[in-house]
Amino acid sequence: MTNTQDTSTLKMTARNVDIFYGDKQAIKNVSIDVSMEHVTAFIGPSGCGKSTFLRTLNRMNDTISSARVTGDIRLDGEDIYSSSMDVVQLRARVGMVFQKPNPFPKSIYENIAYGPRIHGLATGKSEMDQIVEKSLKRAGLWEEVKDRLQDSGTALSGGQQQRLCIARAIAVDPEVILMDEPSSALDPIATAKIEELIHELRGRYAIVIVTHNMQQAARVSQRTAFFHLGTLVEYGETSDIFTNPREEKTKDYITGRYG
Amino acid sequence: MIQIAIFLVIGLALVGFAVGRGRATAFSVGRTAAAVRPHSRPNHHGAHVLLWTLVPALLLLLLSSALVPPLVNDAVLSSLPAAQRPQNPMDRAALLDEVRSIAAGESSGGFIAASNSLVPAYKVASAKFNGIATGLILLVAVIGGLFGFSRVRPDFRARTKVERLTMTVLLLASLIAILTTIGIVGSLLFESMRFFSMVSPLSFLFGTHWSPQASTGAAVDVTAFGAIPLFWGTVFIGAIIAMLVAIPFGLMSAIYLTQYADPRVRTWLKPTLELLAGVPTVVYGYFAALTIAPPLRDFAVSIGISSASSESALAAGLVMGVMIIPFVSSMADDSIAAVPQAMRDGSLAMGATPSETIKRVLVPAALPGIVGGVLLAVSRAIGETMIVVMAAGLAANLTLNPFASVTTVTTQIVQLMTGDTEFDSPKTLAAFALGLVLFLVTLALNIIALRVVKKYREAYD
Amino acid sequence: MTEPTTMKRQPTDWKSPDMVQRIKRRYAAERRFKAMGMVAILISVAFLAFLLISMASNGARGFMRTDVRLPIDFPASTLMVDPASFKGSSDDVDQLLAGLDFEGPVAAAAEQAYGAEGGALLADSAWLIVRDAIKADPTLLTRKAELWVPASSDVDIAYKGEGEKPMRDRVAAMKQAGQVTSGFNLGFLTGADATDPTIVGIWGAFKGSLLTMIVTLLFAFPVGVFSAIYLEEYAPRNRWTDLIEVSINNLAAVPSIIFGLLGLAVFLGLFPTLRSAPIIGGMTLALMTMPVIVIAGRNAIKAVPPSIRDAALGIGASPVQVVFHHVLPLALPGILTGTIIGMARALGETAPLLMVGMRAFISAPPASFTEPATVLPVQIFLWSDEVSRGFVEKTSAAIIVLLVFLLAMNGLAIYLRNRFETRW
């Protein structure tokens, strides 16, 4: 199914991944590649397993005790489920942005500084200030908040909160950023800003985005994967998927016949 | 006599219910067209008759139980020649008490000479007035029942009436909470005012010398009611020593239970921990005094603290702290559980370890709730009585030494109230003043704590 | 996006020794923190276990009584009474027995059997057993008899392997000779308070607790449930309702001793003759328990989904019918659970009852709600104050009885919650 062996550098590879919740199988035999400087979109109807799969890429499923993952998922060729892979480092390298903005009830500054601080990425106050400023700039939030860095992160608007969460993820210098429907809780204007931001961030990171919104997938992604009932139905260049899907199911979905 | 009246009234009421219901059933049957359908069900009509029989009669019963004894007493006393009548109200009450118990067959003879001779008079008067009361009560029940019955008609809205009474009863029940609060504040204030008319509030609140046992009889030493040592002892045991145990243990237990423990372990550990809160305080007090205090004293003596007491602040405080652990734990548990899962995910997704997430995100986010819980715990600890009565001392010391004996507000209330029972001495009244202070402080703590917790809950809703 | 070059950072090298070291430290901190949590909870549970075990090991012996064999030659004793005079009603017999001196003959018999200190081997109350034996069988008076009478606390303790060495040896010798034995102390479950620890019982206090709890339940349950219904279903939102709510929330947290002061000032002020009576104690505890029932009741009522109310209203039920026919039955398990928990708390409560005088020495179980009584926790408190060593194990034994009842009540509450509570 992986037909995307072009010039881009492979960042993450998943091969024959099955995911179980207790006895229930949520993902069946999925193989997929994620490349640097690309945005990969996961689309599909609710409950198709796209978010579940996304969460295995930085092992957030570990927090659910009944979840079990088999198969082979590699980051830069290193098995992320092997015992030598440290989950704390993995999550620093593979950041995540959630559906609902979830800033910590701390100041804007402390929200950004949290990650670098726990990972020991800054040696002094001035370096931390630099990281905070750089992260906020990259997330396009600096101009809006630079005069009120000590205000609470929860006092921002929904769209600003989500950009704060993106800045927070950027601050630990990740290689991959996973986004789980990052704009589904936002209004159209805030959504547009997030999409613009994803577009800008693409140059530095491998981005994986789960979305309900097919227009959004078409707008922001270069590759698209279509999930249905826990299986990966089709994966390819976004333009191909939307204009010339190979599978009948994909066609039905993007033309709005179900989902 | 009165018991018979009650049974008769209840019997009449049941008869009224049956008759009213029967009549209503008779006109209900077969008439289902909306135009003539009765408004209320037969049961409502029956209940309406029942209430008319019961309620006025019972009200009269209450009234008569308040009026009859004084009437009987007057009759009994007036049968004595004027010269023999006791002048002192206390003597009069004692005499009448004896007469009553002889007449009831509870005792065979009285200490007061006159009591035996008064028994016949008492019996006559009692029979007369109780008889009148019983007759009146039955009469009212019958009249009420007949009136209720006369209103059983298809168009009569019995249900509305019955339901209105139900609502009134519900409202009255909920007013009892206010009455209780008023009763507490009123009785504490009233008795405290009497105390403060003898001892100035300033010397009570700010005096450092407490030895009320020194005032005997009429000689009141107003300087012996300085409550500062009591306040200090209460704070030392309840808010300092007990919290030094309860906060770390309670918080860490809650964190372990909510964040680390396997769900199966949690379903066993949590109720087990809560058992600690279900053990009666008198058991803790006994345990503290018998099992904890002696080794603590021996230990203190062995490290050279010769003033160590077997009724140390430490023993009482430690055990009280253990008692409070489940309380702090469940408050902390609730507060941490109220922090949205998204916070935890957000932190873990950045590569934080669970402990870093707990220490830097969850606990700070839950802090208002935890602080509120601790305030409630403090309020509970300073109001706790039996542990300190049994394990802490009676010596009102102002000391920082945890091995020394200190006394607390609640200990002193018990001490003052259970010594002798003369109700007018400043010794007993002081207990009410202490109670007032305790009530106000715990009230303030509770109000602040509930407000903090409520605000915090709103922040995540 | 353009950035000043000064802000450029090297990509994080996760494999550098510093980073590896740091990760190690973080994981060590993680393990320490988790261990701290586990230790905290284990210590708490260990304390509970220690408390229960120490009560159980002390108290188990309180259920045992040591008896000494006492041979008495009644005709030869100083007991001057004709067996034929045991006639008539039991009142007459009691009157007759009350006029006799049993202590002298019993002590003499003990000295005869066990030497000069023989009297010290018997409990102070041994003569009561002798008297009761004679009452049961007056023909004893005509012959020599052997009776088992309670041993003194010293013998009791020595029999259980503690106390002074000489006494232990003595008791061991007596045991060899079959002169001393130990058995289940039924009297502890059927008797009342006494000055002699060997014959005390908890039935008196237990019955007092029972009567007090009945009063508490009769007052607190209807008032609590009615208030909960009113506040949750009918109360308009206004200042009065807020006042009621604030009152209830605060009453739930008022120290129990304050309720005792209230009972003392109000109830005893109104009915001074009922001092120490279960009805006063029960009403005092009812005021304390009522807020617990109201709060539990409101939560249970709140948990009944509004759709059920809508459905009933929709077919023409009146608001009162909705509540009494639909909401209340569904909320009842929750209300009962809260009630049992509140009652369990009231059962273990001591301080307010001390205030209303239920600490009197009561040597006979109370016969009615208006007679002086004591309750289990207060009995424990009173016994714990006794200096006599024999009371230590009796106190623990009474604690065991109290704890068994509290556990049973809490268990019932948990069972009800699991069995009947519906998840909507």
Side-chain angles (χ1 to χ4, degrees):
Chain A
M1 264 192 256
T2 50
N3 59 348
T4 52
Q5 297 301 320
D6 56 330
T7 53
S8 60
T9 39
L10 277 181
K11 193 69 194 173
M12 294 190 83
T13 58
R15 291 290 174 273
N16 310 104
V17 174
D18 292 303
I19 304 173
F20 302 87
Y21 286 124
D23 296 334
K24 235 183 112 239
Q25 188 161 9
I27 285 288
K28 291 172 201 133
N29 195 25
V30 167
S31 299
I32 217 163
D33 291 333
V34 173
S35 303
M36 275 312 270
E37 299 177 24
H38 276 69
V39 176
T40 309
F42 292 174
I43 61 168
S46 301
C48 66
K50 54 193 191 299
S51 289
T52 302
F53 185 69
L54 186 78
R55 290 169 69 94
T56 58
L57 296 180
N58 70 344
R59 289 181 58 177
M60 277 302 280
N61 274 340
D62 288 12
T63 59
I64 301 160
S65 56
S66 65
R68 195 159 51 81
V69 179
T70 63
D72 182 78
I73 305 177
R74 287 170 188 276
L75 174 65
D76 287 338
E78 204 180 342
D79 183 357
I80 67 166
Y81 279 88
S82 78
S83 56
S84 63
M85 173 56 81
D86 179 70
V87 67
V88 160
Q89 286 189 352
L90 170 72
R91 288 178 188 158
R93 292 171 64 189
V94 183
M96 189 158 190
V97 176
F98 294 84
Q99 185 169 0
K100 244 182 95 190
N102 58 350
F104 303 132
K106 299 165 179 276
S107 70
I108 294 169
Y109 184 96
E110 284 301 320
N111 260 284
I112 308 290
Y114 177 70
R117 202 163 273 159
I118 56 176
H119 291 293
L121 301 183
T123 48
K125 171 93 173 89
S126 64
E127 197 177 348
M128 186 63 84
D129 289 348
Q130 279 181 16
I131 293 177
V132 170
E133 184 179 344
K134 184 184 74 178
S135 307
L136 283 170
K137 276 187 171 157
R138 280 201 188 157
L141 196 60
W142 175 251
E143 291 303 321
E144 290 161 65
V145 301
K146 65 180 176 193
D147 300 324
R148 48 181 182 131
L149 289 176
Q150 295 311 317
D151 285 8
S152 171
T154 51
L156 296 171
S157 74
Q160 288 174 324
Q161 285 188 13
Q162 193 63 301
R163 278 180 284 149
L164 178 66
C165 291
I166 293 172
R168 190 176 69 186
I170 291 171
V172 286
D173 202 13
E175 295 148 45
V176 183
I177 301 178
L178 310 175
M179 298 186 177
D180 189 357
E181 304 190 33
S183 62
S184 68
L186 303 179
D187 62 68
I189 294 171
T191 301
K193 279 205 171 138
I194 298 283
E195 286 181 12
E196 197 181 322
L197 176 58
I198 292 170
H199 194 69
E200 280 165 10
L201 291 175
R202 173 164 78 91
R204 294 173 185 277
Y205 311 99
I207 296 177
V208 184
I209 176 171
V210 163
T211 178
H212 247 98
N213 180 334
M214 277 172 293
Q215 284 76 18
Q216 185 171 60
R219 280 194 300 268
V220 301
S221 73
Q222 287 74 51
R223 309 243 171 83
T224 297
F226 172 57
F227 285 78
H228 182 63
L229 295 178
T231 56
L232 178 60
V233 177
E234 190 168 349
Y235 177 42
E237 295 293 328
T238 300
S239 51
D240 290 346
I241 295 261
F242 279 92
T243 54
N244 188 20
R246 277 176 286 119
E247 302 285 333
E248 200 59 27
K249 267 187 195 152
T250 318
K251 194 172 158 192
D252 288 350
Y253 181 69
I254 59 176
T255 54
R257 207 155 305 164
Y258 66 91
Chain B
M1 196 84 92
I2 293 292
Q3 278 94 329
I4 299 171
I6 294 174
F7 279 116
L8 280 176
V9 167
I10 291 174
L12 276 174
L14 291 176
V15 170
F17 178 83
V19 172
R21 186 176 184 278
R23 178 160 166 183
T25 314
F27 61 62
S28 301
V29 171
R31 297 212 218 159
T32 47
V36 287
R37 195 159 83 193
H39 171 269
S40 304
R41 303 273 315 279
N43 275 337
H44 292 124
H45 284 287
H48 186 244
V49 178
L50 179 139
L51 289 169
W52 265 109
T53 319
L54 204 57
V55 176
L58 288 184
L59 288 179
L60 187 64
L61 180 77
L62 269 181
L63 191 69
S64 72
S65 69
L67 285 181
V68 166
L71 286 171
V72 173
N73 290 350
D74 280 355
V76 170
L77 286 175
S78 61
S79 74
L80 265 185
Q84 289 180 28
R85 272 178 225 162
Q87 296 309 309
N88 184 328
M90 289 267 276
D91 293 345
R92 212 178 299 154
L95 172 67
L96 290 167
D97 226 30
E98 253 183 30
V99 172
R100 196 179 311 122
S101 68
I102 296 168
E106 286 164 8
S107 69
S108 45
F111 295 100
I112 305 169
S115 52
N116 278 320
S117 65
L118 283 175
V119 170
Y122 175 84
K123 282 185 172 161
V124 169
S126 168
K128 181 175 127 198
F129 288 112
N130 276 320
I132 295 173
T134 309
L136 276 178
I137 288 165
L138 289 178
L139 189 67
V140 166
V142 170
I143 293 175
L146 287 177
F147 174 75
F149 184 71
S150 74
R151 305 197 65 179
V152 181
R153 279 193 306 272
D155 61 339
F156 178 64
R157 306 191 157 215
R159 197 193 73 212
T160 321
K161 302 270 178 196
V162 173
E163 291 187 347
R164 196 168 299 156
L165 186 83
T166 313
M167 292 294 263
T168 315
V169 170
L170 295 182
L171 175 63
L172 289 179
S174 66
L175 287 181
I176 289 186
I178 292 192
L179 275 182
T180 310
T181 309
I182 293 174
I184 288 175
V185 176
S187 58
L188 290 180
L189 266 182
F190 180 71
E191 307 290 350
S192 300
M193 284 307 136
R194 288 170 64 192
F195 173 70
F196 289 134
S197 69
M198 297 181 228
V199 177
S200 102
L202 284 180
S203 71
F204 171 70
L205 286 176
F206 301 108
T208 56
H209 171 62
W210 177 268
S211 58
Q213 310 301 339
S215 2
T216 47
V220 174
D221 180 3
V222 293
T223 60
F225 289 96
I228 287 285
L230 275 55
F231 298 152
W232 166 245
T234 307
V235 169
F236 193 38
I237 291 180
I240 298 177
I241 299 178
M243 288 306 129
L244 284 178
V245 176
I247 294 175
F249 279 87
L251 192 56
M252 287 311 292
S253 298
I255 286 171
Y256 185 79
L257 282 176
T258 53
Q259 307 296 320
Y260 288 113
D262 187 278
R264 273 170 308 167
V265 177
R266 181 183 153 91
T267 51
W268 279 105
L269 268 184
K270 203 170 145 71
T272 310
L273 193 62
E274 277 164 2
L275 274 186
L276 277 175
V279 174
T281 54
V282 68
V283 177
Y284 279 115
Y286 182 63
F287 187 68
L290 195 80
T291 314
I292 303 291
L296 272 183
R297 190 209 38 218
D298 295 347
F299 169 74
V301 169
S302 73
I303 59 168
I305 303 172
S306 56
S307 64
S309 159
S310 64
E311 297 184 320
S312 61
L314 193 58
L318 282 179
V319 172
M320 192 187 281
V322 172
M323 183 188 81
I324 304 280
I325 287 175
F327 190 78
V328 173
S329 167
S330 87
M331 294 297 290
D333 191 331
D334 290 351
S335 306
I336 292 173
V339 178
Q341 179 69 20
M343 297 285 164
R344 191 162 168 258
D345 283 353
S347 173
L348 290 176
M350 314 227 16
T353 61
S355 67
E356 285 162 350
T357 304
I358 293 162
K359 280 188 281 193
R360 289 164 184 251
V361 177
L362 296 186
V363 170
L367 203 58
I370 295 171
V371 168
V374 168
L375 287 182
L376 287 177
V378 169
S379 126
R380 177 166 287 205
I382 64 173
E384 167 45 39
T385 309
M386 293 320 292
I387 293 179
V388 284
V389 165
M390 296 168 84
L394 293 171
N397 292 327
L398 261 176
T399 175
L400 268 171
N401 176 1
F403 293 103
S405 170
V406 297
T407 192
T408 72
V409 170
T410 49
T411 313
Q412 289 301 317
I413 293 177
V414 170
Q415 197 57 30
L416 293 170
M417 279 331 245
T418 52
D420 47 46
T421 49
E422 39 180 333
F423 217 56
D424 292 329
S425 86
K427 237 162 91 181
T428 29
L429 292 177
F432 284 93
L434 289 175
L436 183 66
V437 173
L438 181 63
F439 177 74
L440 291 178
V441 170
T442 52
L443 185 71
L445 279 172
N446 291 331
I447 290 177
I448 295 170
L450 289 179
R451 194 154 293 177
V452 168
V453 172
K454 199 172 162 203
K455 251 212 179 113
Y456 159 71
R457 290 279 144 82
E458 279 164 2
Y460 290 119
D461 276 343
Chain C
M1 241 175 155
T2 53
E3 285 169 4
T5 46
T6 53
M7 281 186 154
K8 279 255 191 301
R9 269 196 312 140
Q10 290 297 312
T12 313
D13 179 8
W14 295 102
K15 296 275 184 258
S16 72
D18 277 2
M19 219 19 122
V20 171
Q21 206 47 44
R22 193 183 156 77
I23 292 275
K24 259 193 189 147
R25 281 204 311 275
R26 286 172 66 196
Y27 276 120
E30 170 71 26
R31 281 193 298 274
R32 277 199 306 276
F33 189 74
K34 186 173 172 179
M36 270 165 63
M38 185 137 52
V39 166
I41 197 158
L42 286 182
I43 287 181
S44 308
V45 172
F47 184 94
L48 178 70
F50 178 45
L51 187 151
L52 292 181
I53 289 170
S54 89
M55 289 300 148
S57 62
N58 266 329
R61 297 191 315 205
F63 289 106
M64 303 300 282
R65 190 175 80 181
T66 307
D67 282 340
V68 173
R69 192 169 64 186
L70 181 67
I72 308 187
D73 184 2
F74 283 105
S77 75
T78 55
L79 209 57
M80 298 300 183
V81 62
D82 176 9
S85 58
F86 282 85
K87 271 185 233 133
S89 72
S90 81
D91 277 355
D92 294 341
V93 174
D94 283 347
Q95 208 123 43
L96 174 71
L97 289 171
L100 296 175
D101 169 41
F102 286 94
E103 296 178 56
V106 168
E111 275 163 32
Q112 199 175 9
Y114 298 109
E117 276 120 52
L121 295 178
L122 306 188
D124 297 341
S125 58
W127 64 273
L128 286 169
I129 305 296
V130 175
R131 188 190 70 184
D132 291 348
I134 291 174
K135 188 181 169 189
D137 179 12
T139 62
L140 280 176
L141 287 168
T142 61
R143 53 187 157 92
K144 274 185 170 176
E146 280 195 344
L147 295 174
W148 287 98
V149 296
S152 68
S153 288
D154 286 344
V155 173
D156 192 39
I157 288 160
Y159 190 90
K160 287 158 184 167
E162 280 173 34
E164 305 280 323
K165 174 94 169 113
M167 184 55 101
R168 285 215 307 273
D169 294 344
R170 171 105 198 246
V171 170
M174 285 170 72
K175 196 174 168 185
Q176 286 273 306
Q179 291 165 324
V180 59
T181 181
S182 179
F184 182 71
N185 183 2
L186 197 65
F188 183 69
L189 295 180
T190 57
D193 201 3
T195 47
D196 178 0
T198 52
I199 60 154
V200 295
I202 51 157
W203 173 242
F206 185 81
K207 195 170 174 200
S209 273
L210 204 67
L211 294 176
T212 308
M213 286 300 108
I214 290 173
V215 175
T216 303
L217 188 66
L218 287 182
F219 278 87
F221 184 71
V223 172
V225 174
F226 288 169
S227 309
I229 293 174
Y230 182 75
L231 290 174
E232 204 53 47
E233 295 285 331
Y234 303 121
R237 293 275 122 211
N238 60 27
R239 292 231 308 277
W240 279 103
T241 320
D242 287 348
L243 194 63
I244 297 176
E245 268 182 47
V246 170
S247 291
I248 287 173
N249 286 335
N250 283 318
L251 283 181
V254 166
S256 62
I257 195 168
I258 302 285
F259 286 98
L261 288 174
L262 173 73
L264 175 66
V266 175
F267 295 150
L268 282 187
L270 289 175
F271 313 102
T273 55
L274 293 179
R275 196 174 166 79
S276 309
I279 186 154
I280 295 294
M283 275 159 55
T284 307
L285 291 182
L287 293 182
M288 213 185 82
T289 311
M290 192 248 313
V292 179
I293 299 180
V294 177
I295 291 170
R298 291 189 67 178
N299 288 336
I301 292 171
K302 214 180 279 175
V304 177
S307 60
I308 297 214
R309 294 178 186 80
D310 294 344
L313 285 172
I315 56 169
S318 71
V320 171
Q321 288 171 326
V322 169
V323 168
F324 283 89
H325 294 174
H326 299 281
V327 176
L328 203 53
L330 290 171
L332 207 57
I335 297 175
L336 287 183
T337 309
T339 306
I340 295 172
I341 289 170
M343 294 298 291
R345 226 168 83 182
L347 177 61
E349 199 54 73
T350 318
L353 299 179
L354 290 181
M355 294 289 103
V356 295
M358 292 189 87
R359 62 177 297 163
F361 174 77
I362 311 284
S363 58
S368 77
F369 292 108
T370 51
E371 271 181 35
T374 190
V375 294
L376 269 180
V378 177
Q379 187 73 80
I380 290 166
F381 172 63
L382 292 176
W383 284 352
S384 75
D385 249 9
E386 295 281 345
V387 275
S388 163
R389 255 209 85 178
F391 273 107
V392 171
E393 56 187 39
K394 300 295 175 193
T395 311
S396 300
I399 286 175
I400 291 178
V401 173
L402 180 62
L403 285 179
V404 164
F405 271 88
L406 288 178
L407 273 182
M409 287 173 83
N410 282 313
L412 184 65
I414 292 171
Y415 171 78
L416 270 181
R417 185 163 57 198
N418 293 343
R419 174 77 176 70
F420 292 108
E421 207 161 53
T422 324
R423 300 240 170 265
W424 301 99

